[in-house]
Amino acid sequence: MFESWQLLAQGLAAASQPTVLAAIMVGAIIGLFIGALPGLGPTAGVAILLPVAVSFDGTAAIAALGAVYYGAQYGGAVTAILLGIPGDASATMTVIDGHKMARNGKAGAALGLSIAASFIGGLIGLVLLTAFATTIAKAAIAFGPIEMTALMVFSLSLVSVLGGRDLNKAMISLFLGLFIGTIGLDPMVGLPRFDFGEVRLFDGIEFSIIAVGLFGLAEMYATPPSTGAHDDSGRFRFRELLPDVRSTLQCWRELGSGSLIGFFVGILPGAGATAATMISYAFAKRTSKHPERFGNGAMEGVAAPEAANNSAAYGNMIPMFALGIPGSGTTAVLMGGLLMIGLQPGPMLFQTQSEFVWTIFGSFYIGNLALVAITILLTPILASCAFVRPSYLFPAVIAIIAFGIYGINNAMFEVVLVIGFGLLGYLMMKLDYPPVPLVLGMILGPILERGIRRTLVASDGDLSVFFRSPIAIGIIVVTVVLLVSPWLVSQRTRRRAAAIAK
Amino acid sequence: MERLKTRNGLKRRALLAYGATLLALQPMLSMTAQAQDYPAETMNYVVAFGVGGGSDIIARTMAKVIDDKKLIPVKMLVENRPGGSGAIGYSFINAQKGNPYYLGGVGVSFFTTPLLGKMPLSHRDFTPLAAIARSPYILAVTADSDIKTIDDIKTATGLTIGTAGAVSDPALLAHLLNKELGASIKVVPFDGEGEVMAAVLGKHLDLLFGNPNEILEQVNAGTMRALAVTSAERMTSLPDVPSFSELGHDIVHTQLRGIIMPKDVPAEAVTYWEGVLKTVAESPEWRAQYVDRFNEIPLFLNSREFGEEIVATSARYEALMRELELIK
């Protein structure tokens, strides 16, 4: 392990060459903007820059592409907090409390917190990546279809924590999400499902379309242009635009747990950063002394998911660097970049291209520091968005959304879809159906389906295999505890109350 | 307009210089003139899949080689039009009917998406130009697996094989393997090659058919063992690994890296690109930057030969999909 740090020191030195530094800065800034742009996330960002980047020197190219990836994680939070629109999928959970904070006049504090959380999550993820990449990669592949199924059952049970007040409505929203997740080509058979004769639905519905419609457009539809919560430009106070250091430090527990959960869920191939943010948010809410504050602008509700999605980005890279396996869409594109510059990611990469790998890791540390500086400087300017009248702000934002969504596949079809999901979100808001369970179902449902069906094909339909994996059993036990414990606790308090009454 | 002017100019000069007897040669002359003018505009290579994937890497490497060697007098743009399992990109190319300024690459979805009946096109709606590399598949297991040879597969029970995609080359090969060996290996589809590799390395699956590139990396690292290759002959990079056909199994299936154009393009354009692509396929740059880097097999097939392979491949997929009852 000591050797790792020595190699990292050399890598940091190598990454400080002017060309690499310039590449990091360019990548980080592009990432920041693409992350902030609703509809375009890190995958699109890396894909846009890839053809340009690979024509430069290899190390600089990958440093820039990596910077786009983690830069986008910082940027995603900006739109989530200021406009209530997740800039990318993994910023969805940040909307819940972050946007509430902005509406309560604490936009600066929320942004500052998200920067701190992004940095701390990123740093913890990086340190773990630096120290244990190869060891962790070996553990990650212990997660097969059986274990993944168990993890998804656990994650879906989080609807009990994330679902809001009315469990029936939460379940309806969840099942709607599960249904949306089944649209597209059947993963096991290859036949189209629920495609309504439209080939553009073959690959399913891009998550960012749903997130932007359900959260962003819906809220704008629901805000009357003349009034609205943002209309207090008369009471502009500069202090509110600045980050709040002390309250950020108070969230240390959520920052820590978010980072760790993010990292470990991020490692698992196919699970991803969005699932990590959901689990870490639920964990923070569940272990909080004041769970009622979540959803009403709790700082912890911003800290946990933001730490998680940044940490997950590095967890995600572990299977790629150590095994040559891309664990997500973004790392798949990044791996394409490695191949194009002539490197073969795989178990040999650390040995054969040691200098390259450590320079890249070094560039990640530098890039994170740079992003903190850039975003803190931008915070007051960005936060003043919260004081712009909706009648000026919304048309601009809707134009940006249309642009970003069109950019996914260069097609109007997606723009029409996002408007449709905006209407759905508006209806759900008016009828008091929570949108988060829908997101939960839509993200986790496909992973669950693949897990179950792959397991059952391999076992010839024998269900008992789920109870032969120690990891799966462990996860199932935790799930049962999670579901039953609130009921037990309420029983006990009722009994105690009854005893006191006597 | 440009082209018309030249054609008329030539016609006039021909008349003046050689007299009326040469008039009979006019169509031929105008054809050469057109061939010399082509290409006059930017070439567009449409990739039906996202950036960074296999099809994209081929397109960009090819464009780079053509550009570096200045093989064409115009620019070549690589453009991604992903979506609908290739249907969006291929439909787009098809809509440029007769336009010799659009190119595309052939992937598995080029065959399977039309066969699913969800795209009103088929391989017959495109003009094959040439194939410039060939990629076999390698059947592999983890290094510590009990399966040491193909014969061990016959005797083992309860084996599983992972495939990238439900209808794909590895899936096709997995079903062929079962048929040839009389085995009952369970075929488990995954979303991508990386996921299959992770599941095999994590011992959740026993076998996989992988690209030479990814398998060689694992073999060199000592984590995996190659059992057999699907090319007709052994691969130079894996001299100790037999081919299925030399073991007496009728499993020969490779992926052709081929280039197509829309339907009804002028014959001169096809000839022109056969020439350009032949130069690419035989250039040391292409060998170094693509074929050797990805451990594929060097190859050149002209338009006719490539067209024949396309028909054969489509028939093979059709048979597989009928067997799986995906189409009736």
Side-chain angles (χ1 to χ4, degrees):
Chain A
M1 215 177 110
F2 173 71
E3 199 194 5
S4 294
W5 297 110
Q6 207 173 5
L7 287 164
L8 177 67
Q10 289 165 9
L12 278 167
S16 308
Q17 304 158 32
T19 47
V20 182
L21 280 183
I24 297 170
M25 290 306 282
V26 171
I29 292 170
I30 292 178
L32 199 58
F33 280 97
I34 285 179
L37 198 61
L40 296 182
T43 313
V46 176
I48 290 167
L49 197 62
L50 179 66
V52 190
V54 290
S55 55
F56 295 107
D57 158 63
T59 313
I62 301 302
L65 294 176
V68 173
Y69 189 4
Y70 52 75
Q73 306 290 351
Y74 280 77
V78 174
T79 13
I81 290 169
L82 294 177
L83 305 171
I85 307 168
D88 62 63
S90 63
T92 308
M93 300 309 286
T94 313
V95 171
I96 303 169
D97 284 289
H99 188 50
K100 267 280 163 46
M101 282 181 74
R103 290 179 65 161
N104 296 342
K106 288 193 279 188
L111 281 175
L113 177 58
S114 88
I115 296 166
S118 295
F119 179 68
I120 292 168
L123 197 64
I124 293 179
L126 259 175
V127 168
L128 291 171
L129 172 71
T130 314
F132 308 111
T134 28
T135 330
I136 289 176
K138 288 199 187 95
I141 53 175
F143 261 74
I146 298 173
E147 291 77 16
M148 203 51 105
T149 306
L151 183 68
M152 287 304 118
V153 169
F154 165 76
S155 305
L156 281 170
S157 75
L158 296 177
V159 71
S160 63
V161 185
L162 300 173
R165 292 174 299 277
D166 189 335
L167 194 60
N168 289 330
K169 285 185 171 174
M171 290 306 276
I172 291 171
S173 177
L174 178 74
F175 280 105
L176 187 60
L178 289 172
F179 164 70
I180 293 169
T182 62
I183 294 174
L185 290 180
D186 181 310
M188 302 296 284
V189 184
L191 283 178
R193 296 187 297 202
F194 307 113
D195 64 330
F196 307 103
E198 172 57 63
V199 284
R200 291 187 184 272
L201 288 175
F202 269 25
D203 298 338
I205 299 174
E206 182 92 18
F207 175 69
S208 54
I209 293 171
I210 290 163
V212 168
L214 223 48
F215 290 89
L217 286 181
E219 198 187 291
M220 284 191 272
Y221 293 159
T223 312
S226 51
T227 57
H230 301 273
D231 194 21
D232 44 10
S233 36
R235 292 183 288 117
F236 185 100
R237 270 180 304 178
F238 188 70
R239 269 201 60 195
E240 284 166 0
L241 300 182
L242 296 176
D244 180 350
V245 178
R246 202 199 303 157
S247 47
T248 300
L249 292 176
Q250 279 168 359
C251 298
W252 63 272
R253 282 199 7 232
E254 288 72 22
L255 291 172
S257 65
S259 302
L260 291 176
I261 293 171
F263 185 77
F264 287 104
V265 177
I267 297 169
L268 307 175
T274 312
T277 57
M278 290 170 166
I279 297 175
S280 65
Y281 184 93
F283 181 84
K285 185 175 177 185
R286 199 61 203 274
T287 54
S288 166
K289 287 197 188 81
H290 304 284
E292 73 285 350
R293 293 218 318 260
F294 281 74
N296 296 312
M299 301 212 52
E300 298 88 338
V302 177
E306 274 308 302
N309 64 28
N310 280 272
S311 184
Y314 300 101
N316 223 247
M317 291 186 198
I318 285 191
M320 179 184 81
F321 278 118
L323 302 172
I325 296 165
S328 70
T330 318
T331 43
V333 182
L334 209 53
M335 202 163 122
L338 288 174
L339 289 169
M340 282 185 190
I341 63 163
L343 290 176
Q344 174 60 47
M348 305 288 279
L349 191 69
F350 271 92
Q351 279 104 51
T352 55
Q353 299 290 340
S354 165
E355 202 193 350
F356 166 80
V357 173
W358 290 104
T359 308
I360 293 301
F361 286 2
S363 85
F364 292 170
Y365 282 88
I366 297 172
N368 264 282
L369 274 176
L371 275 163
V372 170
I374 299 169
T375 43
I376 284 185
L377 286 174
L378 284 175
T379 296
I381 305 166
L382 291 170
S384 43
C385 272
F387 299 100
V388 177
R389 274 168 166 275
S391 49
Y392 299 135
L393 185 66
F394 289 0
V397 171
I398 290 178
I400 293 171
I401 288 178
F403 174 72
I405 297 291
Y406 181 82
I408 297 174
N409 279 339
N410 294 327
M412 277 310 282
F413 180 75
E414 277 77 13
V415 181
V416 176
L417 265 186
V418 80
I419 294 171
F421 277 102
L423 292 174
L424 175 69
Y426 176 77
L427 280 179
M428 287 175 68
M429 190 186 282
K430 288 292 166 195
L431 300 173
D432 205 22
Y433 283 86
V436 172
L438 190 153
V439 172
L440 197 70
M442 134 113 209
I443 291 277
L444 306 178
I447 312 176
L448 176 70
E449 185 201 349
R450 284 161 174 76
I452 294 177
R453 291 178 68 185
R454 282 173 193 155
T455 307
L456 292 182
V457 168
S459 75
D460 248 343
D462 179 7
L463 283 165
S464 70
V465 289
F466 285 110
F467 302 99
R468 262 182 253 145
S469 152
I471 300 175
I473 294 172
I475 298 171
I476 292 169
V477 167
V478 172
T479 313
V480 171
V481 170
L482 178 88
L483 288 176
V484 175
S485 65
W487 181 75
L488 284 179
V489 170
S490 72
Q491 284 287 318
R492 203 194 304 155
T493 39
R494 202 176 304 159
R495 225 174 296 140
R496 204 172 292 162
I500 291 165
K502 267 179 209 167
Chain B
M1 271 321 279
E2 193 71 32
R3 200 177 301 159
L4 264 171
K5 244 186 248 163
T6 331
R7 196 186 298 179
N8 289 340
L10 241 168
K11 198 168 155 186
R12 215 175 302 135
R13 233 180 298 151
L15 273 164
L16 282 170
Y18 308 106
T21 40
L22 277 177
L23 195 62
L25 285 174
Q26 187 268 332
M28 234 179 86
L29 275 173
S30 81
M31 221 168 79
T32 7
Q34 200 178 3
Q36 273 157 10
D37 284 346
Y38 176 83
E41 299 165 26
T42 303
M43 295 296 308
N44 300 284
Y45 191 123
V46 179
V47 180
F49 304 91
V51 174
S55 315
D56 186 62
I57 292 179
I58 297 168
R60 288 179 197 282
T61 315
M62 191 188 94
K64 190 168 174 286
V65 171
I66 289 178
D67 191 48
D68 288 350
K69 294 180 73 81
K70 302 200 171 29
L71 293 179
I72 56 173
V74 293
K75 277 207 182 108
M76 182 154 153
L77 289 181
V78 177
E79 184 190 357
N80 300 75
R81 286 185 178 264
S85 284
I88 305 294
Y90 289 123
S91 303
F92 178 81
I93 299 174
N94 178 260
Q96 319 298 321
K97 202 171 257 177
N99 186 341
Y101 291 96
Y102 284 87
L103 296 167
V106 169
V108 178
S109 320
F110 178 74
F111 301 102
T112 55
T113 309
L115 284 171
L116 278 173
K118 291 288 172 175
M119 184 163 89
L121 303 170
S122 75
H123 60 86
R124 283 178 288 274
D125 296 301
F126 298 92
T127 311
L129 295 181
I132 52 175
R134 185 194 281 287
S135 176
Y137 290 88
I138 302 172
L139 182 65
V141 289
T142 48
D144 53 1
S145 165
D146 293 333
I147 310 284
K148 302 225 157 45
T149 61
I150 296 293
D151 288 332
D152 291 344
I153 297 177
K154 287 189 201 163
T155 49
T157 52
L159 288 179
T160 51
I161 185 164
T163 66
V167 183
S168 60
D169 279 340
L172 179 87
L173 286 164
H175 290 282
L176 274 176
L177 187 67
N178 266 338
K179 219 180 190 177
E180 271 296 313
L181 301 182
S184 52
I185 310 166
K186 292 178 206 83
V187 184
V188 190
F190 281 72
D191 289 344
E193 279 132 16
E195 282 189 32
V196 180
M197 181 65 82
V200 172
L201 288 175
K203 305 203 188 318
H204 308 287
L205 295 172
D206 303 304
L207 300 154
L208 87 161
F209 274 108
N211 294 319
N213 199 36
E214 34 166 26
I215 302 287
L216 269 172
E217 192 61 20
Q218 301 290 345
V219 169
N220 291 339
T223 51
M224 288 196 120
R225 182 167 53 234
L227 298 178
V229 297
T230 65
S231 47
E233 275 122 41
R234 291 185 182 211
M235 293 181 63
T236 42
S237 45
L238 283 172
D240 302 331
V241 179
S243 71
F244 278 101
S245 39
E246 85 183 67
L247 293 172
H249 302 296
D250 185 22
I251 303 177
V252 181
H253 181 82
T254 55
Q255 197 179 355
L256 279 180
R257 308 300 190 186
I259 316 294
I260 49 143
M261 263 195 179
K263 204 179 177 177
D264 300 333
V265 292
E268 305 84 72
V270 176
T271 320
Y272 179 86
W273 277 97
E274 274 184 321
V276 171
L277 292 171
K278 190 168 166 61
T279 319
V280 170
E282 288 164 0
S283 70
E285 288 88 350
W286 174 251
R287 283 290 292 269
Q289 289 173 34
Y290 187 78
V291 181
D292 291 347
R293 181 182 289 175
F294 294 100
N295 290 294
E296 299 199 348
I297 302 170
L299 159 100
F300 176 77
L301 294 182
N302 64 23
S303 172
R304 189 185 47 78
E305 294 163 330
F306 178 39
E308 282 163 9
E309 287 257 8
I310 287 181
V311 173
T313 311
S314 183
R316 225 174 285 160
Y317 274 111
E318 203 173 334
L320 167 75
M321 289 163 81
R322 259 180 231 293
E323 209 168 298
L324 296 177
E325 290 173 18
L326 292 177
I327 47 177
K328 283 174 192 83

